[in-house]
Structures are given as structure tokens and as C-alpha cells.
Amino acid sequence: MTAVLSPRDRRSLQRASLKHRLAEKGVDRVLWLLVPGAVFVALLFVYPFLYGLQLSFQPKGGGNPFQNYVTFFSDPYLADTVWITLRLGLPAALFNVLASIPIAFRMRGRFRGKRALTTLLVIPITLGTVLTAEGLLAFFGPTGWFNRIWMALGADEPARLTHNYWGVLFSLIITGFPFAFLLTLSYLSGIDPTLEQAAATLGASKRQRFRTITMPLLAPGLAVTFCLSFVLAFSVFPSAVMVGNPAGETHVMSIAAYETALRDNDFAMGSAIAMLMALVMLIVIGVVLIWRTTLYRGATGGKG
Amino acid sequence: MSGQQRFAELHLDRVQRAFGDTVALKGMDLTIKGGEFVALLGPSGCGKSTALNCLAGLLPLTGGRITLDGKRIDDLPPEKRGFGMVFQNYALFPHMSVRRNIGFGLSMRRTPKAELNRRVDEAVRLVQLEEHQHKFPAQLSGGQQQRVAIARAIVLEPPLVLMDEPLSNLDAALRLEMRTEIRRLHQSLGLTTVYVTHDQEEALALADRLVVLRLGEVQQVGSPEEVYAHPVNRYVAGFMGYRNMIPVTVTSQDGERTTVRADGVELVGVKREELTEKAVAAVRPEDFAVVTETGANTLEATVEIVEYHGREQAVQARLRNGGQLHVRTSSRLASGDTIRLKVPVERVLVFS
Ligand SMILES: Nc1ncnc2c1ncn2[C@@H]1O[C@H](COP(=O)(O)OP(=O)(O)O)[C@@H](O)[C@H]1O
Ligand SMILES: [Mg+2]
């Protein structure tokens, strides 16, 4: 290469080679565009988190830095919130993921009215928790339609479906299902349909195809869907107040944190509860994701 | 591998498949004998895959019936038909090793472990994948994936193997190699095979019998020689390498012998269909001979483009009336030459 290069050519050559040198070190200059976003996230998320964390170790009355945590676990009214919230969040997330599988399975192909049906299934997202709660009160309340029909069918007393555990669970299912469904549907449409056809020509029945092909390829996606559904359900607040029994059966962690911080003015204790909430979520997500690493997670051959 | 369940005759009776208003397969009639290698040939979109999927049971028919030795099978789901299928994109299970892919059909049949292992070993050896049997599909090259797909389909010794353009995703050299491989497997195992392709060379090389399809309709069924030498219409002729379709006027007919006028010159050819006045004369590029003297069945043209192909040249020439001719010749020509092209009577096929 002894050809004469104009200075401009040489500059552009150097630029290109700089790009290649950086690429070899795994540096992609376009990704630097994410820096402002990353700073924003740090300011809005990491800083408050760290602030809350250190605050939780400065109990209102001074003394033992772990005092807030000790108080939490020695006061059954507070300690029980962990179990109460898990008892709502885990079944709601599990139900939403499991229920979305057969529905997404049916909705994979092309059929008349698919768009209308998808819209109907997704509408609860747009309603928001408060509207859903009001609807639930009107529908399942002591004088709601459900109980009128229930009584007309000969029941002695109205079924108690609101202002308790069940009301909150229903609300979590109604608002959480669309997320689970949309995620499952997109994971499912990422699986190449000829894989199932191939399995069929090899003699696999519908059930065997589901068990040996679809489920293994879908499972990693379901794990992620479960984690997201769980996080959504675990931080339940409005419906626990509106259709639940916030002082008893549905005294969830977020309500406890809110009450200590804003009603009792004990921000340090509130922070401690919020930290414990994050910890419980991380443990559940960690367990699910560890299980996920044991699965096949490569390409599923579909159009993605 | 031996003793696969041979059948005597698979019969397609006016098999039809429509997608809404488009009819992809218009009443296909075909009889496949046990042990045969049949190729379905036609351009993209002519309904080849549709026909294959109907045979496999992956697509329900919208008309007609399929019978195997007299028993109706078109109402059986694919898993009950037990035909092996090789898909165009291979459709290997990405979460299973090569061995588990190949053994999948056997394990669905609850084959005892020892027998399963023995048969998978045999199939792995047959397609020469011993070194790769514990890998996953994503770790294999295209040709190796292809071999896994074939092994997976034939390890069950199915009565019928269906292949949908199995070589179309491979590069040219590998395509030739796998073609020979498929023919070798067919000969050593005697598996009845229906092979779909849009490549006429592949079909001619592999098949005992060709079925040429167009717009969902069967055009011609016959041995490679028959279809190659005696195409029944201009469409099949075009597909079989008759690249020159010269528009002509029929002047006289004497039995098969037909005299036509083209570009101010008389041509004598063989009639292949009932003719009206307007017709086309079909000639293969390699059937033209470059000659020096004028005479019977000789056209005059000007050379435009010459492509070097080793022993031969591919020449594009233009007739005086503007029509284009494709010629393959070993004479050395140059652009701008005026040449005379002679073609034997039996090599001019006249179609309506
Ligand atoms: N699922 C489908 N829905 C609608 N039309 C289809 C479908 N599958 C195939 N077709 C149509 O049927 C015709 C034949 O398709 P196909 O059998 O795939 O052709 P080939 O395999 O010969 O390329 C095409 O015109 C195609 O558009
Ligand atoms: Mg096709």
C-alpha cells in the first residue's frame, strides 16, 4: 500500500480504524448515547434507593442501627405483612401466567375477530386499578349483580367477595392478566410453528407436542413473565385499600410502609419496610431466574 | 435398516386445497407406487408445498381423497399417518441434541431404550454424523443440519418420506453432494419418496418419475426422459430448458410434421398439440448448430452477447424481426457476427 492518499482519505481511514479498534475491545460508540439515560436512572432510582437504605439504618429513636429491622420482625402486625403480600402476589402471578398459556396458545393462529378479542383481553390495562376496584365493588359487592343472582339461585346469604382477600386477588388478576397474556403471546409467536408440525409427523400427539416442544421452548419466557407479574402484584396498594381489608387480611407491605412513613411520620421505619419489600421481591425473582438457567434459552427459530 | 412397511399404491384422487378464494391445488390426481422416487416440480407458488402438506396431514383437504392401498387416510392427523417429512428450514428441535432429535420419533413410540439407541446409532452412522451426535442444532453447519433432518425422518422407516425443497438452503457444491447422498439413501433403503423442488436439474437427476405443476394443476407426469424430450405443452417445455419460444404462423400440417413461418423463413417441426394458425416453436439453445450455408430449417441472426462457459459459449442473438435467440455452441463467435443457425426437424416442437 504505497499509493498516495489525500489527507482527507487518510483521516477517514484513521477514523474507520479507530472504530474497528474500539469494536475489538468491545466498545460500541453508539451505545454512549445511552449515557444521559443511564444518568437519569441513577438519579431517579439508584440515589433514592441508597438514600432510603442508609435512612433505614438511622432509627428515629437512635441507638442500634438495625433497630428498625428488629422492630419489624418482632411486631407480628408488621412481620405478618410479608406473608400476607406473598399470599396475594404469588397466586395472582401464578394464575395469570398459567391462564395466559392456553389462551395465548389458542390465539396464535389467524382467525376472524382476533383483533377484537385481543383488545377485549387487554382493556383492563387501560382501566387502571381504581376503576377496576370500583367495578369489582359494583359487581361482587353485597348488593352487586353477582350476589343478586347468587341469592336468586337460592343462597342463604350473600357471598363475601369484597373487602377481604378475595377482592384483592380478583383485582390483581384482572389488572395483571393482560401483561402476562401479551408477554406469553409474544414468546409463543416466537416459536417456529414448523417445529410442532415436525413433531406431529414424527408421531407426537397434541399433548406430547405441547410437553416436549412447546413447553420447553416457552418456559424461559414464562419465567420472565412470572417475575414481572409477581413484581406488579407484590407492590399492590390501591386495590388492597379499596376492595381489601387494609387493617387485617390485606395489610400488605406497601400499606405498612405508607402508614409508618406518612401517618406515624417514621421515615426511617418506612424505608426499612420498603427495603424489606425489595429484598423479598429479589429473593423470589432470584429463585425463578436460577431455575431458568437450567432451561434451554437459545433461539426458538421463529420470526421473533 | 430394512423391512420398512412397503405399500403397494398411494392414490391421490382429485385432491383439492383452497385458501379462501385462492385454490392452491386444483384437483390433483396421482398414483405413487411403493419404492418410487417421485419429484413434484414447478416454480415458486405453484402449490408444491401445499400438495406435500396435504399428503403429510398438516393441511386438511378441501376436496378429494387420499387412499393408501385402498384405505382412506386423508382424515387421519399427521401423527397417525406416520409419513416422514424433511422441512425446507429443517425444523430441528433447538433444545435437543442431535441424538435426541433423531430419536424423537422413536421415543414418542415408546421404543425400548436399547432398541432406540441401536437404531439412532445406525441412523447417525448412515448420515455420517458420528462426531457431531452430541451437539445441538445451532452448533451445526447447514449441510449437517440437513443430514440430521433426513436421519430424523428415516429412522422410523416410514412408508413414505416427504421432502420439501431440502437442498434449497445449501450452497451449490453442498447441494450436489447432498443430492447424491439422497439418491444413495433412496437406493440403499428403498424408501418411497416424494420430493418437492423448483430446480428441474435436481428433479431430473433424482426422480424415477416427475410431476410438473403449474398454478395448482398437474401439467405432465412421466419419467425424466419423457418429460425432458417430450414436453406436452409450452409451459413444460419452457421449464425443461426449451428457452427459445419463437412466435410462428402455421402454414401446413402433415400428420406430426408441421411447417411454420418465422422471421420470413420456413421452419419444419414436430407438432405437440392441436394447433391453430398462431403457434410457438420451442427450441433448446444446444440444439442449434452454427452453419455457413443457407438451407432448410436455418435462421439468420446477429450475435449480441457472448458468455464464456468453458467448452461452450452461451450466445444471445437477435433475429431480423427483433426476436431473441439463446444458443449454446462450441464455435467461437464474437458480438456483431452474423450467423446462420440450423436446427433438426425433430428438435423443433410446435405448441399452440
Ligand atoms: N396459509 C396460506 N394462506 C393463504 N394462501 C396460501 C397459504 N399457503 C399457501 N398459499 C397460497 O397457495 C399457493 C401455493 O403455495 P405453496 O404450495 O406454498 O407453493 P410452492 O410450495 O409451490 O412455492 C400460493 O399462491 C400461496 O400464496
Ligand atoms: Mg414451497
Side-chain angles (χ1 to χ4, degrees):
Chain A
M1 283 286 285
T2 50
V4 185
L5 290 174
S6 75
R8 209 177 126 196
D9 283 347
R10 210 168 309 141
R11 261 201 310 280
S12 82
L13 204 70
Q14 275 165 358
R15 249 207 313 276
S17 68
L18 174 65
K19 190 171 160 188
H20 285 156
R21 282 206 309 276
L22 285 174
E24 240 152 53
K25 292 191 188 124
V27 179
D28 182 340
R29 285 191 296 175
V30 177
L31 280 182
W32 284 103
L33 292 175
L34 288 179
V35 165
V39 171
F40 215 65
V41 168
L43 286 178
L44 283 180
F45 178 73
V46 177
Y47 171 73
F49 178 79
L50 292 178
Y51 179 78
L53 189 63
Q54 58 87 25
L55 194 61
S56 72
F57 292 114
Q58 299 173 8
K60 211 175 176 185
N64 179 5
F66 292 99
Q67 188 53 50
N68 283 331
Y69 294 94
V70 174
T71 311
F72 182 87
F73 285 108
S74 52
D75 178 353
Y77 184 64
L78 289 177
D80 281 354
T81 59
V82 176
W83 164 239
I84 285 173
T85 321
L86 281 176
R87 207 168 73 112
L88 281 167
L90 287 176
L94 199 65
F95 178 88
N96 282 340
V97 172
L98 292 182
S100 68
I101 299 172
I103 298 176
F105 208 73
R106 288 266 150 215
M107 303 259 309
R108 255 192 318 180
R110 272 188 300 174
F111 57 89
R112 197 169 301 201
K114 176 171 177 169
R115 198 180 303 196
L117 192 54
T118 313
T119 313
L120 201 69
L121 287 172
V122 169
I123 274 179
I125 288 186
T126 62
L127 289 183
T129 340
V130 175
L131 262 185
T132 310
E134 282 186 353
L136 272 175
L137 287 177
F139 189 73
F140 281 134
T143 55
W145 299 350
F146 178 83
N147 270 322
R148 279 192 225 165
I149 296 168
W150 182 243
M151 299 295 278
L153 288 179
D156 295 333
E157 51 181 308
R160 291 251 301 121
L161 295 171
T162 51
H163 299 297
N164 61 5
Y165 174 80
W166 293 106
V168 181
L169 189 67
F170 284 139
S171 157
L172 288 177
I173 286 171
I174 290 170
T175 48
F177 176 76
F179 284 103
F181 167 71
L182 286 180
L183 273 171
T184 307
L185 184 62
S186 76
Y187 279 115
L188 202 57
S189 8
I191 300 177
D192 181 357
T194 59
L195 295 180
E196 263 185 76
Q197 296 185 340
T201 63
L202 291 166
S205 65
K206 254 204 173 84
R207 184 185 294 243
Q208 285 175 317
R209 300 202 286 270
F210 183 75
R211 196 166 49 77
T212 57
I213 308 297
T214 315
M215 256 337 251
L217 294 177
L218 189 60
L222 291 182
V224 172
T225 309
F226 176 84
C227 287
L228 291 178
S229 303
F230 173 73
V231 168
L232 274 180
F234 195 78
S235 44
V236 53
F237 186 89
S239 59
V241 177
M242 292 181 67
V243 285
N245 173 11
E249 233 181 326
T250 69
H251 184 238
V252 293
M253 289 183 90
S254 57
I255 292 180
Y258 164 79
E259 285 175 351
T260 35
L262 297 176
R263 196 190 57 196
D264 309 341
N265 263 325
D266 186 348
F267 272 96
M269 184 67 197
S271 299
I273 298 176
M275 289 304 135
L276 286 169
M277 221 175 135
L279 186 69
V280 174
M281 282 198 257
L282 283 179
I283 290 172
V284 171
I285 291 173
V287 168
V288 174
L289 292 186
I290 286 171
W291 170 70
R292 184 174 178 268
T293 58
T294 65
L295 305 171
Y296 168 82
R297 282 163 299 148
T300 49
K303 8 187 205 343
Chain B
M1 271 189 254
S2 59
Q4 69 280 354
Q5 318 104 346
R6 267 282 182 91
F7 59 86
E9 211 176 70
L10 178 77
H11 189 62
L12 279 73
D13 182 17
R14 276 167 292 146
V15 168
Q16 194 216 44
R17 172 67 210 193
F19 296 102
D21 290 337
T22 47
V23 186
L25 205 59
K26 298 170 187 159
M28 183 173 187
D29 283 312
L30 184 66
T31 303
I32 297 164
K33 289 194 274 302
E36 239 188 338
F37 196 119
V38 174
L40 297 187
L41 177 63
S44 176
C46 71
K48 306 181 296 290
S49 298
T50 306
L52 213 62
N53 288 333
C54 286
L55 267 175
L58 297 172
L59 271 179
L61 309 187
T62 51
R65 45 194 281 155
I66 303 174
T67 54
L68 187 71
D69 286 339
K71 275 203 308 286
R72 192 159 176 183
I73 60 159
D74 54 79
D75 42 8
L76 293 179
E79 63 266 26
K80 295 269 168 56
R81 290 193 204 185
F83 295 163
M85 181 140 176
V86 179
F87 292 79
Q88 189 166 2
N89 64 354
Y90 317 139
L92 298 181
F93 308 132
H95 56 304
M96 298 184 191
S97 68
V98 167
R99 275 190 78 84
R100 281 194 55 212
N101 262 283
I102 296 176
F104 183 83
L106 292 167
S107 66
M108 290 299 112
R109 262 147 244 229
R110 305 192 196 294
T111 311
K113 190 113 189 166
E115 192 195 338
L116 184 142
N117 278 326
R118 184 181 56 73
R119 286 173 68 176
V120 171
D121 284 338
E122 206 177 339
V124 164
R125 212 171 324 116
L126 200 64
V127 294
Q128 298 156 22
L129 282 173
E130 289 98 330
E131 290 158 48
H132 307 290
Q133 54 180 314
H134 298 294
K135 290 187 181 169
F136 282 81
Q139 299 166 299
L140 300 179
S141 71
Q144 292 162 345
Q145 293 187 18
Q146 176 61 248
R147 285 166 202 268
V148 179
I150 292 175
R152 187 178 68 175
I154 63 178
V155 71
L156 296 170
E157 300 170 4
L160 183 65
V161 181
L162 308 166
M163 300 197 184
D164 193 350
E165 312 214 22
L167 305 185
S168 61
N169 287 337
L170 304 179
D171 61 57
L174 203 51
R175 197 148 54 212
L176 284 185
E177 189 191 317
M178 285 305 298
R179 192 165 94 184
T180 318
E181 198 81 341
I182 288 176
R183 184 73 212 179
R184 185 175 66 79
L185 282 175
H186 171 73
Q187 274 171 2
S188 60
L189 304 178
L191 294 169
T192 317
T193 308
V194 177
Y195 186 99
V196 158
T197 179
H198 63 263
D199 180 343
Q200 108 271 13
E201 212 179 298
E202 212 170 280
L204 290 169
L206 281 171
D208 301 321
R209 220 143 53 92
L210 295 189
V211 179
V212 185
L213 280 173
R214 182 198 180 206
L215 298 174
E217 274 176 302
V218 175
Q219 305 290 304
Q220 185 170 6
V221 182
S223 69
E225 295 86 346
E226 277 166 3
V227 179
Y228 186 78
H230 306 290
V232 294
N233 59 31
R234 73 155 97 173
Y235 168 78
V236 179
F239 218 76
M240 282 295 142
Y242 289 78
R243 284 188 73 194
N244 297 300
M245 292 282 173
I246 309 162
V248 295
T249 319
V250 179
T251 51
S252 72
Q253 297 183 43
D254 174 17
E256 284 223 309
R257 256 179 96 93
T258 307
T259 311
V260 298
R261 273 196 90 72
D263 198 28
V265 184
E266 290 232 309
L267 273 182
V268 184
V270 182
K271 162 173 109 164
R272 302 288 299 147
E273 281 180 298
E274 281 316 308
L275 297 176
T276 53
E277 199 192 336
K278 293 274 169 231
V280 291
V283 182
R284 281 182 205 281
E286 58 271 27
D287 285 339
F288 281 117
V290 180
V291 294
T292 44
E293 72 282 10
T294 52
N297 268 17
T298 304
L299 295 164
E300 212 173 87
T302 312
V303 175
E304 284 192 334
I305 294 171
V306 180
E307 281 175 26
Y308 177 70
H309 283 221
R311 275 169 56 109
E312 283 184 327
Q313 288 178 317
V315 176
Q316 253 183 53
R318 204 163 279 285
L319 293 168
R320 268 181 318 213
N321 69 0
Q324 211 177 41
L325 287 186
H326 300 273
V327 181
R328 283 186 86 92
T329 173
S330 50
S331 322
R332 292 288 173 239
L333 301 175
S335 173
D337 290 356
T338 302
I339 51 172
R340 299 203 175 85
L341 298 165
K342 186 174 171 71
V343 55
V345 171
E346 70 278 8
R347 292 303 169 85
V348 180
L349 305 186
V350 187
F351 297 106
S352 64

